[in-house]
Amino acid sequence: MTVLITGASGFIGSWLTLRLADAGQNVTAQMRRAPSALFEQLGLCEHANVDVVVEPSMESVLTATQPETLYHLAGMSQVGEALRSPAVAMEANGRATWLLFEALRQMEVPPNTVIASTDSIYGETSGQAATEDFPTNALGPYEVSKLMADTAARSYAWVFGLPVTVARLGNVYGPHDANGARIVPSIVSAVSQGNRPVLRGGGRAVRSLLYVEDCIKALRLLAEKAGADGVQGEAFNLSGDPPMTTLQIARHTLDAFGFADVDPEIIEGAPGETSEKFSSPQKAERVLGWRPETPFEDGIKSVYSAWKEAQ
Amino acid sequence: MTPTIDQTFAGRSVLVTGHTGFKGSWLSLWLHSMGAKVAGFSDQLPTDPCAFELCSQAPDFGAGDHRGEISDLAAVKAAMEKSQPSVVFHLAAQPIVRAGFSDPYTTFATNVMGTAAVLEACRMMPSVEAVVVVTSDKVYDNTGSPWAFRETDRLGGHEPYGASKAAAEIVAMTYQSAGFHGAAGSLSTPRIATARAGNVIGGGDWAADRLIPDFVRAIAEGRDQKIRQPRATRPWQHVLEPIGGYLLLAHALLSSPETTPEAINFGPIEATMPDVEEVATLFLDAAGATKTKLIVDEDKNAGEAKTLRVDSSLAGQILGWTPSWTAREAIARTADWYRAHLDGSNDLRELSLAQLADYRRATPVAALKG
């Protein structure tokens, strides 16, 4: 079994590479730049089943590899970066995806394909868990660029019959996530340096969090069934359940790190500042039989153990 | 396989104090539906109409429908002698926060001495194996900490209702102590746990000064209803959620007494709660109210808007308890119930049993499924 992962050097990409390679699959790990610290730390550069390809052109890697399965994770993953360079975000997340699909369309046996989208395309969900048929309502450059990829992927599936499916990911967290702009790493970073975590919007912002191992299980199921009825051309929310406020996230993180007596610094903002964005994973449960299994209390303990070990 | 609560309660003798109340009626209905032999002890019917009359009904109490003051030890003892309960759920109380301000003495007498009378009677009653004492999420010393309260947080009380419930917790601590029972020569040392839950909604509540009952009265009388704190949120939860928790707690006290905590919180786990205005709007809509309009008359000086929350992680870890219905689902079920009542339905018991069956289908808690 040959698998191609684009953006294999990223947080989810690295963990997915490890799990697939350990399961005996031959993984071609495409990345634009040299391997990330996490990718190296997981021993993936030396892994017998991993072929590291540093090459910006995903199409040429795809054509050369002729994989049976494709996970398209490459793109600009930081909301802040997309705000600074919207045009680059649209290129990297939008255009790059349909160029890849054009190459896919030319293949004799196109691979089963999963692309990583985001559940932030729904925008503010006003206290309700967005289902996949919820109107998409977010106009930030990151969200729009991901929505372009999401829609293009489903279009190629429906119009050209390609075995493609879309994973709308919630906030995926796990050990060794270095991206300090994401919610869990930002709290972990404050807490591990002995600082009080700062929570804006009264700590009432709400997110779905998904443990990286649960995420990988779902991605693998989607890849397996990408050509099946009810999966091909469909989008699936992969998000943790139940959604949590940043205050709850901070409390469990402080507990796991042994700082149960530290209070967060809560900044009350204007009423509009509290953001509620979360989605329901019920469709994935119904169609794939997948459910997030790791409670946040347990997932954050693994993050702590990994952090402790790295000290 | 987790044994279900049906296996625990079928044929078991159970005494519910406060069985004519809103929570007591739903608890009794659930117990009865599982084949428990239920007895009740209450002073009177709390309101007219009330859930007891409409959905629970006296014939359910094959083991006795006793009336008396809960703080009257002799009366409580006599009821226990007659019903020989294996499990006691102590719900009888003065349950209204605002009534605590108009009549603090009765609030203390009922809530503190009532608990003492029930636990005192239990320690002389060899049939009793487990007691669940229902207190409140208002038992905690509200220090203004940002965290939701955990069971290990300090008890306190700056108003009579919360203080009386915190005092009931302390009374329970004495009766949880093996040393006390040894020294006092108790005939029985049942396992006791306190359950701390908050405000609940559901069909059959007509108490004064509560949001949903206020709207039900307004709809019945065809008038508009004011709200003063549109932006406040409360931990809205359906009455069946904590009741499922109480049943699981009693089940745990019987099956694994050593690992069951002595106090446990049952609160919502939802990250977001609709505010008062949204609840009122959803409720009016779902209840099909056409004549009653919602009037928002915001009281900017109101000091009560702070949300009080409890952390229910322990109930999840130890009992596997988790709520099932979202606040919005709870409001919808509640509105269905009152709409049937307002339409003149005379089979609210049937509807209540149907809602119970729905709940038991929906719950993710295996032991509560049925």
Side-chain angles (χ1 to χ4, degrees), chain A residues 206 245 247 251 255 263-264 276, chain B residues 146-148 150 271-272 311 328:
Chain A
V206 181
T245 60
L247 185 64
R251 179 137 218 210
D255 280 354
D263 283 351
E276 294 172 356
Chain B
W147 303 125
R150 285 182 175 170
T272 64
D311 184 327
R328 288 171 180 81

Side-chain angles (χ1 to χ4, degrees), chain B residues 42-54:
Chain B
S42 292
D43 57 349
Q44 59 189 356
L45 300 184
T47 51
D48 178 25
C50 67
F52 179 73
E53 275 186 318
L54 293 168

